[in-house]
Amino acid sequence: MASKSALRWTVPLKDGKHTVVFEHGTASGRRVIYLDDNEIYRKNWMFKLVGYETFSIGKGADIHQARISIEASGLKYLYRLTVDGKDLEQFSEASKQSTLLWRTAVNGTEHAVALDVEAMEIYVDGDRVHAQGEFVDDGTETHFTVGGQSAFVHTTSTGTRAGKMEHTLYVNEEAIGSEDVKSRTSAVGWKSN
């Protein structure tokens, strides 16, 4: 288990938020990385105290390359987590803009459902699933299954000039609230000439 002085980051992905914990022994060079409380990397003795460690985060079609950089700054060390070459803050903001996330229980099992609003792809528990889109009177519905139950994302225009879209997940015809109410809308939309 990670020590209390370890560095902690939260990485948002399509299957939910993941916790990265990094321990760095500044005398021995020891490096330990935990991902969601599971140790994924350990190096007990290293003569080089600075450098970087890389690892993968995510699952299924949503796997990303992460890197923890260690730099010396006087008598201190600076640590930085990047995901797919972007600082965590930039990656998180880009993810927030392009992905909507819901959590729902189906038959007693918790599932994460994500919508990539740019590609209109659906992910269930981090795996991209087959989805069928159809036009309806007030927008579109993207149908798929989650936990063996029918589900769909209903997408409608918010009616603003900015072209924002509102997305609502339904499982067995029941609306499911998103993790972040503000995230139900996306700036991805259509413009008419």
Side-chain angles (χ1 to χ4, degrees):
M1 192 66 199
S3 69
K4 291 182 181 179
S5 63
L7 295 142
R8 298 175 194 286
W9 295 278
T10 301
V11 181
L13 296 179
K14 289 177 175 64
D15 64 336
K17 295 177 181 176
H18 295 272
T19 303
V20 175
V21 177
F22 181 63
E23 293 180 352
H24 183 220
T26 56
S28 67
R30 178 179 59 88
R31 299 176 188 179
V32 183
I33 300 173
Y34 297 89
L35 180 58
D36 299 327
D37 294 325
N38 296 310
E39 184 178 307
I40 62 168
Y41 178 84
R42 176 180 290 270
K43 195 75 160 192
N44 284 322
W45 287 96
M46 296 185 70
F47 294 106
K48 187 174 182 183
L49 299 178
V50 296
Y52 61 88
E53 299 300 337
T54 60
F55 57 98
S56 296
I57 185 170
K59 68 177 215 173
D62 191 34
I63 296 179
H64 302 269
Q65 294 304 306
R67 178 177 174 153
I68 298 174
S69 300
I70 309 156
E71 299 175 15
S73 176
L75 298 176
K76 296 181 180 180
Y77 290 93
L78 302 175
Y79 304 90
R80 183 175 67 162
L81 176 66
T82 57
V83 180
D84 292 341
K86 298 178 184 174
D87 283 329
L88 179 59
E89 188 174 304
Q90 293 171 323
F91 178 83
S92 296
E93 188 58 34
S95 179
K96 190 186 300 183
Q97 296 298 321
S98 66
T99 305
L100 304 180
L101 181 65
W102 295 269
R103 292 206 175 275
T104 184
V106 177
N107 298 327
T109 302
E110 176 96 2
H111 295 280
V113 176
L115 168 66
D116 180 330
V117 296
E118 293 173 351
M120 291 304 288
E121 292 176 337
I122 303 285
Y123 293 79
V124 176
D125 299 326
D127 294 319
R128 192 172 74 172
V129 297
H130 174 73
Q132 182 68 41
E134 69 175 294
F135 290 101
V136 294
D137 289 339
D138 59 345
T140 64
E141 290 181 356
T142 306
H143 294 264
F144 59 100
T145 60
V146 57
Q149 302 296 314
S150 65
F152 65 92
V153 174
H154 185 223
T155 302
T156 59
S157 171
T158 60
T160 63
R161 293 190 74 177
K164 291 190 177 207
M165 308 302 285
E166 183 171 66
H167 312 277
T168 305
L169 171 66
Y170 289 84
V171 177
N172 291 327
E173 303 293 326
E174 182 180 326
I176 307 297
S178 64
E179 283 198 342
D180 179 2
V181 174
K182 292 183 282 185
S183 74
R184 290 183 304 160
T185 60
S186 69
V188 176
W190 300 280
K191 291 184 180 178
S192 58
N193 292 334

